Amino acid sequence: MYYGFDVGGSKIALGVYDAQRQLCWQTRVPTPREDYQQLLQVITDLTAQADAFCGMPGSVGVGIPGLPVPDDGTVFTANLPAARGRTFAADLSARLQREVRIDNDANCFALSEAWDDEFQHYPVVLGLILGTGVGGGVIINGSPLTGRNYIAGEFGHMRLPVDALAAVGGNVPLRQCGCGQTGCVETWLSGEGFAWLWQHEYQSALSAPQIIARYAQQDAQAVAHVARYQALLAVCLGNLLTLFDPHLVVLGGGLSQFAALYEGLGERVAPHLLPVARLPRFEPARHGDAGGMRGAAFLHLKK
């Protein structure tokens, strides 16, 4: 059995999956944000409950809102203060008497989608999250590509392509990102970036859901705004597709629920690829909020 912990800033969700990757049992509890020993104890207790349910020990995977640090085994996380700078995986492994695998929540999202029954035959899957921020992961033959520093897939902090400004009018100022850099993709393609582009163009403040509601009513400004965003998304996707050449692209996050993003996406991306490139399949995420614990559980799967 495979146990997947989705450890967030406010809750810990645990899902237990069988050999067919079907959910058998789940629960969730509040996250002890500040007390490390309490955090370890909560996960230990939940694992014991899962073991009792299964009648045997299961494998344990943990998704976190942060990054494992390979050099010293600690984790870097802003939204989980209790675990910041701690040897989280090693400490849990010692407590649970089994190997605990940890990865960031964006990789877990991508891994969950790559192991979907319909998607698992694709060798290279690119998962892209368009939500509060922009992130994602690359899954190769069923395993996450992590890289030297576990930052492979941090697409939101790539810089805007040279033709991105042309896609939105050419005179849009570059914005500072939360990472401290300027011109990150996240500042434009996130839900907040979607709203900021509207405010910059029309000098009025609307949220992403409000803009989308206007689009549904075929408001002329909203239609033009969405077209600009679609063009910008296509430019940025062109770089990612050239870099990773995926067979499948899965879009998650709040903006991924906006169906218009998929309309003609392939045709808009194609001009930004090499002439010989064949387009991947584009799909919305299938597993929603369950993706974090699914992907964490599947950190132990191999093709």
Side-chain angles (χ1 to χ4, degrees), residues 5 12 23 92 110 145 168 180 186 195 223 225 251 260 286-287 301:
F5 286 91
I12 298 174
L23 180 65
L92 280 176
L145 173 66
V168 291
E186 179 169 292
V223 170
H225 173 74
L251 300 179
R286 300 290 174 84
H287 299 283
L301 289 179

Side-chain angles (χ1 to χ4, degrees), residues 164-174 188 196-197 200-201 203 228:
L165 296 180
V168 291
N171 62 343
V172 181
L174 298 179
W188 296 44
W196 181 87
L197 282 168
H200 175 81
E201 184 70 23
Q203 290 76 54
R228 281 189 292 272

